[in-house]
Amino acid sequence: MKKLTKTFKYGDQDVTLETGQIARQATGAVMVSMGDTRVMVTVVGQKTADAGRGFFPLTVNYQEKFYAAGRIPGGFFKREGRPTEQETLICRLIDRPIRPLFPKGFMNEVQVIATLMSSNPEISGDIPALIGTSAALALSGIPFNGPIGAARVGYINGDYVLNPTASQLTDSALDLVVAGTEGAVLMVESEAKLLSEEVMLGAVSFGHNASKAVVQAVRELAAEAGVQSWEWEAPVTDDSLTTRVGELAGEGLTSAYAIADKMQRHSAINEIKTSVIETLCNAADENAPSQDAVSGAFYKLEKSLVRERILSGNPRIDGRDLSTVRPISVECGVLPRAHGSALFTRGETQAIVATTLGTGRDAQIIDAVTGEYKDPFMLHYNFPPFCVGETGFMSGPKRREIGHGRLARRGVAAVLPTMVEFPYVIRVVSEITESNGSSSMASVCGTSLSLMDAGVPVKAPVAGIAMGLIKEGDRFAVLSDILGDEDHLGDMDFKVAGSEEGITALQMDIKIEGINEEIMKIALSQARDGRIFILGEMNKVIKQPRSEMSEYAPRLMTIKVHPDKIRDVIGKGGVTIRAITEETGCTIDIADDGTVTIASVNKEAADEARKRIEQITADVEPGQIFEGKVIKIMNFGAFVSLTPGRDGLVHISQLSDERVENVTDVVKEGDVVKVKVLEVDKQGRIRLSMKAANEAA
């Protein structure tokens, strides 16, 4: 295949798609260039599916190579290791809009690998990776109902900006990524600074309309390449089996889905399913259907029953109408030794959220392709198996946990104080202790409560809610505060976080081939009503940050010294600062600009550390009086330490008003004496007088 290229204008950038030269043994491969950022995307699909497979094995990997930015990785091994949080989040960003577009029944293994090979720090690799995935799938011939387009949208000075650079995003009130087909939106991921529903909806529409240029370019490239689509047909469904399962389980499932309690409902459903399998899967009958086939028919029956019930206007599984939020319970200060904590319960979803305050040295060091930096705010989300009544292997955070933690972080980022306003490093951990419906939005609510309980001066409380959708043809219903079953059997997971003023984060995933603006508008309006209700329940317990922090939280004291004095505070080999920290028990951080941050749970200790630093950095001038320790005796006088690293000489003639024969007749090493500065010469030598200090007193 010869090299083919397609270039189109996309915002202020030119995007170029290249194929036919690199990775030619992959089923589909594209090199995407956007500015100096280049991402290679490959797709490999297996021509046959493994027999008996009951799921679609799609794998998406995104990897960033440090050579892309001319950097060598940090650490001991000096090579890229396990995926970073950023890489994991972009993997999810690619996976979410493409997964719904593979046809039902397609079980062939497909792997997408996107590799950042050249990095312009102004242009992230996520949008080129999404574009490249769309193009590589189109070129592969794999059954796929695309292409898709993707765009980043900013909001600067009241105007939408297509694919803003990293520099532009610093001035933007919005960072939104939208992906979808030519006719419908499939995925939205965003962080906003308290924007209205109208502005957010406009941003989604703006980005989706702009992304149609990507769809057109990919189609033209695939046409020029002469792509041959795979010969694949969806497996034939056994309608008679579906009917038979309905006859055996229909009445029982209807009763089971009227049980509000999740565990009781699932137990009843499992009993019905087991009974149906035992009835139909007779091992002695060669023509009997397989357990997988019966399970598939049973799932279709569940889905049809729940969806039709909601579309017909009947109560939902737990008896609610479309817009009612489940009962909410809030407690603060549940962990006495944590700096801030909250227990947030919404229906059968529950999170214990703890806040810890630290100093600058506690910040997360990120070794990224674009360079190393420190992150002063961390939000970690944990989803142990017991929260859904299951057993499971306990390991590190999985993709889902990383994604949910980042969404919760986006939900509160807009209301956090700056480091100038509140110079603490903040770590929040959300432990999901029960789950039936959006635990990420429970984490947003719990985080807001926990931060306020810790005394963090957030700009406003925030809450989050998850919306769902049931759509059949032109009939649809938008659901507020969805249950786990409604998420599993429904068509949309639409999460919105924000304050009473506006939206801080929005995430949308669609299981069908997209939704239109009308549905999004209804979902946003309904979500606002639900969010305001949840905030009202939270405000009954705590509605503003506590004026006093926990007695176990460090108190930070900040002073400014001249940058030239930093070396004096540190001392030779760190001896001075080490002595201060050991003797006072304080933690001391010094920035390059001379900002000294002292942290201690004991105010007296912090005051002592501050006093000693001020003494070290104080300029010694004639006329000043100090209390210092005699550190050395000579025949001609005594050396007195004024501040760490600053000594002066009291000549024997300046020890007393009377004549002194021997220095040791007046002072000894270790004595603390009061001295007055007489002179500081050009070499920095200090001449002191005990006699003049006594006269001044």
Side-chain angles (χ1 to χ4, degrees):
M1 179 179 176
K2 66 177 183 178
K3 178 179 176 181
L4 296 174
T5 63
K6 175 65 63 176
T7 300
F8 61 97
K9 193 75 173 176
Y10 206 32
D12 292 335
Q13 305 295 330
D14 288 327
V15 176
T16 299
L17 309 177
E18 299 179 10
T19 189
Q21 183 181 32
I22 299 173
R24 292 173 296 181
Q25 294 186 42
T27 312
V30 175
M31 180 72 80
V32 182
S33 301
M34 194 169 176
D36 286 340
T37 294
R38 290 195 171 191
V39 180
M40 178 181 68
V41 184
T42 61
V43 171
V44 173
Q46 299 300 324
K47 285 285 189 179
T48 57
D50 292 343
R53 176 178 281 150
F55 65 95
F56 172 41
L58 170 66
T59 305
V60 177
N61 297 100
Y62 172 84
Q63 53 189 357
E64 295 184 335
K65 301 297 185 179
F66 274 67
Y67 59 71
R71 294 190 66 235
I72 295 174
F76 181 78
F77 293 103
K78 299 299 178 186
R79 68 176 298 162
E80 293 83 2
R82 66 179 186 179
T84 64
E85 187 170 294
Q86 173 72 1
E87 289 171 316
T88 298
L89 292 168
I90 296 178
C91 285
R92 286 171 54 85
L93 202 68
I94 297 170
D95 184 295
R96 285 156 48 198
I98 65 172
R99 188 174 290 272
L101 296 180
F102 289 92
K104 292 180 180 179
F106 184 71
M107 300 297 176
N108 300 39
E109 186 169 3
V110 176
Q111 183 177 36
V112 177
I113 300 177
T115 307
L116 179 69
M117 307 194 79
S118 178
S119 175
N120 175 352
E122 288 293 315
I123 303 173
S124 172
D126 50 5
I127 297 300
L130 275 162
I131 294 172
T133 300
S134 175
L137 284 168
L139 291 166
S140 70
I142 294 172
F144 179 70
N145 299 321
I148 65 166
R152 170 170 271 106
V153 179
Y155 190 64
I156 303 173
N157 298 325
D159 294 321
Y160 296 119
V161 179
L162 178 62
N163 295 322
T165 62
S167 296
Q168 288 176 307
L169 282 174
T170 60
D171 299 321
S172 177
L174 175 68
D175 182 2
L176 179 144
V177 173
V178 58
T181 60
E182 189 173 45
V185 175
L186 284 160
M187 184 274 295
V188 178
E189 184 77 46
S190 67
E191 181 177 329
K193 295 179 180 177
L194 303 172
L195 297 179
S196 69
E197 281 73 12
E198 291 75 20
V199 171
M200 295 298 291
L201 183 59
V204 174
S205 298
F206 175 83
H208 178 238
N209 289 331
S211 70
K212 294 176 183 179
V214 176
V215 175
Q216 183 61 31
V218 170
R219 281 179 176 158
E220 292 175 1
L221 183 66
E224 291 180 24
V227 174
Q228 297 295 315
S229 298
W230 288 13
E231 293 183 3
W232 177 86
E233 292 182 1
V236 178
T237 57
D238 187 349
D239 293 335
S240 62
L241 177 61
T242 303
T243 302
R244 182 66 177 136
V245 169
E247 293 171 350
L248 292 171
E251 187 175 337
L253 272 180
T254 300
S255 299
Y257 272 106
I259 301 172
D261 183 83
K262 172 187 172 183
M263 302 307 290
Q264 293 179 19
R265 181 172 65 253
H266 284 192
S267 177
I269 292 170
N270 288 335
E271 287 181 12
I272 297 168
K273 183 176 180 180
T274 301
S275 174
V276 171
I277 289 175
E278 289 176 352
T279 301
L280 296 179
C281 300
N282 188 346
D285 184 357
E286 293 182 357
N287 297 319
S290 66
Q291 288 192 18
D292 287 341
V294 174
S295 294
F298 190 87
Y299 170 73
K300 288 181 181 178
L301 178 63
E302 285 185 273
K303 188 172 182 179
S304 174
L305 188 152
V306 172
R307 293 165 67 89
E308 182 57 37
R309 176 176 173 172
I310 291 172
L311 289 173
S312 298
N314 294 318
R316 292 157 64 179
I317 295 170
D318 58 359
R320 288 181 292 150
D321 60 20
L322 298 180
S323 60
T324 299
V325 177
R326 288 171 290 172
I328 289 172
S329 172
V330 172
E331 292 182 45
C332 287
V334 293
L335 305 176
R337 288 279 177 158
H339 300 159
S341 61
L343 175 65
F344 179 85
T345 308
R346 185 193 62 238
E348 294 174 308
T349 297
Q350 185 181 77
I352 295 178
V353 185
T355 295
T356 307
L357 305 177
T359 65
R361 66 180 58 187
D362 296 312
Q364 175 71 57
I365 300 173
I366 308 292
D367 187 26
V369 168
T370 51
E372 186 177 284
Y373 65 94
K374 289 186 174 182
D375 187 355
F377 178 59
M378 295 157 275
L379 198 156
H380 298 147
Y381 165 101
N382 297 316
F383 192 89
F386 68 76
C387 74
V388 287
E390 296 177 356
T391 60
F393 182 69
M394 296 288 287
S395 60
K398 301 177 179 63
R399 285 187 177 187
R400 180 182 179 278
E401 290 175 293
I402 291 172
H404 279 42
R406 178 53 63 95
L407 176 58
R409 175 199 169 106
R410 288 191 176 111
V412 300
V415 300
L416 290 175
T418 65
M419 288 296 287
V420 174
E421 296 168 328
F422 190 71
Y424 286 86
V425 168
I426 303 171
R427 181 183 185 234
V428 176
V429 179
S430 177
E431 306 283 2
I432 305 305
T433 50
E434 191 176 350
S435 181
N436 181 19
S438 181
S439 54
S440 62
M441 294 297 95
S443 297
V444 170
C445 300
T447 297
S448 177
L449 294 163
S450 178
L451 289 170
M452 290 191 290
D453 186 56
V456 178
V458 295
K459 297 178 178 67
V462 294
I465 186 170
M467 311 297 294
L469 173 72
I470 304 294
K471 187 176 187 298
E472 295 287 350
D474 294 331
R475 303 163 68 205
F476 70 87
V478 175
L479 316 178
S480 293
D481 183 22
I482 55 174
L483 301 172
D485 286 338
E486 291 170 337
D487 183 10
H488 178 60
L489 301 172
D491 300 319
M492 176 180 77
D493 186 6
F494 189 101
K495 299 183 176 77
V496 186
S499 68
E500 288 188 5
E501 181 182 342
I503 293 173
T504 55
L506 188 154
Q507 183 186 86
M508 183 181 73
D509 292 308
I510 302 297
K511 300 175 187 176
I512 54 178
E513 293 185 16
I515 62 171
N516 56 32
E517 188 172 317
E518 178 192 3
I519 294 175
M520 280 191 288
K521 189 173 183 178
I522 294 172
L524 282 169
S525 176
Q526 211 164 299
R528 174 174 171 75
D529 293 340
R531 186 173 82 243
I532 298 302
F533 169 77
I534 295 169
L535 283 169
E537 296 299 296
M538 292 165 56
N539 289 344
K540 292 176 182 177
V541 178
I542 184 170
K543 60 181 179 181
Q544 61 187 17
R546 300 199 189 282
S547 57
E548 291 292 330
M549 294 190 299
S550 165
E551 61 179 302
Y552 304 110
R555 265 59 177 179
L556 296 189
M557 185 181 292
T558 303
I559 60 175
K560 193 87 169 179
V561 303
H562 194 282
D564 292 343
K565 301 285 187 178
I566 293 175
R567 62 177 180 270
D568 298 329
V569 178
I570 295 173
K572 187 176 181 180
V575 64
T576 303
I577 195 169
R578 189 161 55 247
I580 298 173
T581 56
E582 289 175 355
E583 292 169 18
T584 65
C586 297
T587 300
I588 301 172
D589 293 313
I590 307 176
D592 292 339
D593 65 354
T595 300
V596 181
T597 303
I598 304 166
S600 174
V601 294
N602 186 315
K603 186 178 184 302
E604 292 180 359
D607 288 338
E608 176 62 22
R610 176 186 56 78
K611 178 182 175 182
R612 293 177 64 168
I613 291 171
E614 287 175 344
Q615 288 177 342
I616 294 170
T617 57
D619 290 327
V620 178
E621 298 177 353
Q624 289 181 307
I625 294 177
F626 290 87
E627 276 193 0
K629 183 183 288 188
V630 177
I631 59 172
K632 191 173 185 181
I633 300 292
M634 305 294 289
N635 290 334
F636 51 83
F639 284 95
V640 177
S641 174
L642 304 180
T643 65
R646 301 299 301 273
D647 306 333
L649 172 65
V650 182
H651 190 266
I652 190 171
S653 64
Q654 295 296 324
L655 289 172
S656 175
D657 291 331
E658 300 176 0
R659 180 178 174 79
V660 178
E661 293 292 338
N662 297 301
V663 175
T664 53
D665 291 340
V666 181
V667 294
K668 298 179 178 61
E669 285 190 16
D671 287 351
V672 176
V673 297
K674 186 176 290 186
V675 294
K676 183 176 183 178
V677 179
L678 297 179
E679 179 188 12
V680 181
D681 66 18
K682 293 181 180 180
Q683 285 73 41
R685 292 174 298 191
I686 304 170
R687 191 160 65 88
L688 304 172
S689 172
M690 289 173 58
K691 180 169 65 174
N694 291 331
E695 291 173 356

